[in-house]
Amino acid sequence: MAKVIMIQGTMSGAGKSLLVAGLCRIFRQDGYRVAPFKSQNMALNSYITKEGLEMGRAQVMQAEAAGIEPLVCMNPILLKPTSHTGSQVIVNGEVRGNLSARDYFAHKTELIPEIKAAFRKLETYADIIVIEGAGSPAEINLKQDDIVNMGMAKIADAPVLLVGDIDRGGVFAQLIGTVMLLEPEEQDRIKGLIVNKFRGDKKILDPGITMLEERAGKPVLGVVPYADVDIEDEDSLASSLEETHIQAEIDVAVIRFPRISNFTDMQALSMERDVSVRYVTKPSELGEPDVILLPGTKNTIQDLLWLRESGLEAKITRLAKKGTIVFGICGGYQMLGESLMDPLQTESALGSVRGMGLLPVTTVFEEEKQLENRAYRIGMLEGNFVSLSNKKIAGYEIHMGRTEVAGKTTTPIYPFVSDSAGTVLGYTAGTVAGSYIHGIFDEIAFREAFIELLYARKRKTRGESEHLTLQEYREQQFDKLAQVLRESLDMEKIYEILGLIKQG
């Protein structure tokens, strides 16, 4: 049986995901087979495994930190919000349907056998499993029939480390209040407290730590500094979405849709020192960037209407006509076309809407979601994107639409991306390009060719780059995070809680 430890937080955004990733990397460095687990994740960032199953990207990131292949049993339930009160429910990588929050909470205990089966399967792969909770275990309106915090800890018989976020203030009240709101048997599961995201001189904090341990009756196992690491974080809490300033030679403006999904597609660009990735929500913020990126979205039609109503569509269209490169991914690609038709009302009751008209293609939404993870290749292009021709790319598809050329067109249009079977999954026309492939910038040859194309359009020559692959960059960041945690956490005590002896 695998040894188990669980990270719970006092709130969403306390840093659970990164702490789990960091511990996974430490245990891997120390010679253990380790795997992450989260019974229920709510996120718009998802990933398709090699088996064509959908799971939350946070557990993919944690699996990378652990040095293992992402498996859907690491995240048996994924909720993808479709509105303020409803979500698409994905169980073991497959869509079960859309449910309102009320209906989901009424039936979620029916999924406990699925959670148990996934966890038992994961135990066969690992020496140590690091479980992540969600939100707070002390949400008294949600505690009944909990399956992701103390309910999951009970299923796995896991000791718990409780994390508080000092950066947002009130960390002592967070931690003490959370412990006090738990039942006695739940309090007993908490074996230590962690203060996360600290800035400043730790000595100033020491009197508070002493009082915290006395009031909560739990040892503080570490004060983790605010770590300067570039690792994917959860959904809209990710600090990258708040970046609005131009800080480098190449200016990439990403449209921040209300329902933005898989914004992790931009990480490969943002890791380049000469590329500035910033997020835009209104016309006055757009300026005249080198490229406008329209990312994925959970609801293409509704976010297209938002783009139209905000005035951003008109501004983007004007810039495209002046020669600015506009690049769409998945839902962003669908928006670029002439029209979006939804006969089955998969996304909207509107039936069909006019697209932005920047690509001579049409999209028809279908009931079945396309889930693929495979190799793709850029076609032989002409015009503005010719330098990208025949580049190999890696990535995956998550979409419910089929996009085709809109009949006869006078606009020169070229197949942009195809899979190994020759299926076209994107087109280019003029300075506009779109593709269904998430992770399109991850492959170094394509990413560097794209950046060099942007330099050439500015009549500038790019200097030396680090030529790091995204995987190499991520490995650096995971090692950096692990070092921060080793220096700030009582790892000997954590190994003791696990029932293991600290290595080294």
Side-chain angles (χ1 to χ4, degrees):
M1 297 291 288
K3 300 292 185 180
V4 183
I5 195 164
M6 187 170 191
I7 305 298
Q8 296 185 14
T10 56
M11 64 176 76
S12 295
K16 298 183 292 292
S17 295
L18 289 189
L19 284 172
V20 169
L23 288 173
C24 282
R25 177 49 60 108
I26 288 172
F27 296 142
R28 178 198 175 191
Q29 290 172 339
D30 289 351
Y32 293 99
R33 293 179 304 164
V34 57
F37 183 85
K38 187 167 185 174
S39 58
Q40 173 193 289
N41 199 348
M42 178 175 281
L44 287 176
N45 281 338
S46 61
Y47 174 83
I48 304 304
T49 67
K50 290 182 177 178
E51 295 77 25
L53 300 171
E54 190 171 4
M55 62 183 289
R57 277 211 65 103
Q59 281 61 64
V60 175
M61 175 270 290
Q62 292 160 355
E64 290 174 346
I68 60 174
E69 185 72 26
L71 301 169
V72 77
C73 60
M74 297 171 182
N75 175 214
I77 302 171
L78 174 62
L79 305 178
K80 300 185 78 171
T82 54
S83 67
H84 293 303
T85 58
S87 295
Q88 183 181 70
V89 181
I90 297 166
V91 180
N92 291 321
E94 298 180 343
V95 176
R96 289 281 180 91
N98 292 340
L99 289 177
S100 68
R102 181 177 296 178
D103 287 342
Y104 176 73
F105 282 110
H107 297 284
K108 65 179 180 177
T109 54
E110 297 170 12
L111 296 174
I112 290 176
E114 307 273 12
I115 293 170
K116 288 182 175 179
F119 186 77
R120 299 308 171 207
K121 182 178 181 180
L122 193 60
E123 281 190 310
T124 66
Y125 293 102
D127 302 318
I128 300 173
I129 297 175
V130 187
I131 306 174
E132 180 184 346
S136 164
E139 302 288 358
I140 54 179
N141 59 315
L142 303 177
K143 281 189 64 177
Q144 185 177 357
D145 301 325
D146 169 61
I147 60 173
V148 68
N149 285 307
M150 284 300 177
M152 184 62 224
K154 185 176 181 180
I155 289 171
D157 192 22
V160 174
L161 305 184
L162 183 64
V163 182
D165 178 2
I166 196 171
D167 192 52
R168 287 194 273 180
V171 73
F172 302 116
Q174 290 175 37
L175 290 164
I176 295 169
T178 299
V179 172
M180 289 178 63
L181 285 171
L182 296 176
E183 301 299 324
E185 61 271 20
E186 295 172 335
Q187 293 179 3
D188 289 343
R189 284 203 179 275
I190 297 178
K191 303 304 180 185
L193 309 177
I194 297 173
V195 175
N196 198 21
K197 305 182 189 179
F198 179 70
R199 305 173 195 255
D201 185 349
K202 182 180 172 297
K203 291 181 180 179
I204 299 174
L205 196 63
D206 286 344
I209 296 297
T210 301
M211 187 174 292
L212 172 60
E213 292 181 322
E214 292 172 354
R215 294 286 183 92
K218 306 290 178 183
V220 174
L221 301 185
V223 176
V224 179
Y226 205 104
D228 182 22
V229 293
D230 183 15
I231 296 174
E232 296 176 11
D233 206 347
E234 283 285 87
D235 275 333
S236 58
L237 291 169
S239 58
S240 62
L241 288 177
E242 305 301 328
E243 182 56 61
T244 59
H245 298 96
I246 303 170
Q247 299 174 328
E249 180 64 41
I250 298 299
D251 177 20
V252 178
V254 181
I255 304 303
R256 184 177 175 178
F257 296 122
R259 300 160 188 84
I260 186 171
S261 66
N262 285 72
F263 62 83
T264 48
D265 289 340
M266 271 53 79
Q267 188 191 23
L269 287 174
S270 64
M271 67 175 254
E272 300 287 350
R273 294 177 180 176
D274 54 349
V275 177
S276 181
V277 176
R278 60 189 177 90
Y279 289 81
V280 172
T281 58
K282 49 192 175 184
S284 60
E285 297 171 345
L286 188 56
E288 295 194 2
D290 298 303
V291 58
I292 301 169
L293 252 168
L294 278 65
T297 162
K298 188 63 185 71
N299 193 310
T300 305
I301 290 177
Q302 291 301 320
D303 277 353
L304 172 59
L305 296 178
W306 168 85
L307 192 75
R308 189 160 289 156
E309 291 164 1
S310 70
L312 273 167
E313 180 190 32
K315 184 75 178 286
I316 293 168
T317 301
R318 285 197 298 271
L319 288 171
K321 289 177 179 177
K322 288 174 60 178
T324 299
I325 287 182
V326 180
F327 197 107
I329 300 174
C330 199
Y333 164 46
Q334 294 171 335
M335 292 181 193
L336 295 173
E338 302 284 353
S339 63
L340 295 85
M341 292 174 279
D342 191 7
L344 301 177
Q345 298 187 2
T346 302
E347 282 205 350
S348 170
L350 295 175
S352 66
V353 296
R354 170 178 57 85
M356 297 174 70
L358 295 178
L359 280 178
V361 297
T362 60
T363 295
V364 178
F365 290 100
E366 299 169 327
E367 193 169 16
E368 186 176 351
K369 184 186 286 191
Q370 298 298 312
L371 304 173
E372 298 287 351
N373 181 329
R374 49 190 171 184
Y376 305 90
R377 187 169 290 276
I378 304 298
M380 294 303 296
L381 305 176
E382 296 182 31
N384 291 281
F385 298 100
V386 65
S387 61
L388 304 181
S389 294
N390 209 33
K391 294 288 188 296
K392 184 181 73 171
I393 57 173
Y396 52 97
E397 301 167 51
I398 313 173
H399 58 94
M400 300 184 78
R402 175 172 43 84
T403 301
E404 297 178 345
V405 176
K408 292 183 178 180
T409 173
T410 58
T411 304
I413 183 169
Y414 306 99
F416 183 37
V417 178
S418 299
D419 63 16
S420 56
T423 304
V424 178
L425 295 160
Y427 288 93
T428 71
T431 58
V432 180
S435 164
Y436 273 120
I437 312 306
H438 292 290
I440 192 169
F441 297 110
D442 290 3
E443 200 72 36
I444 188 169
F446 176 80
R447 182 174 69 252
E448 299 223 332
F450 184 76
I451 295 170
E452 286 166 9
L453 179 155
L454 299 176
Y455 267 95
R457 288 173 57 82
K458 300 177 79 166
R459 293 179 173 81
K460 293 185 177 183
T461 302
R462 190 184 190 196
E464 282 295 313
S465 70
E466 288 188 283
H467 298 290
L468 281 178
T469 66
L470 184 60
Q471 185 59 37
E472 288 169 338
Y473 179 75
R474 285 173 173 164
E475 288 293 308
Q476 287 183 357
Q477 298 300 309
F478 288 136
D479 287 342
K480 185 176 178 181
L481 174 62
Q483 187 60 37
V484 169
L485 295 191
R486 284 188 187 276
E487 292 172 357
S488 55
L489 294 179
D490 185 345
M491 287 306 303
E492 189 169 344
K493 181 64 176 178
I494 289 173
Y495 270 111
E496 181 184 317
I497 290 167
L498 275 164
L500 295 169
I501 298 173
K502 183 178 181 296
Q503 304 294 303

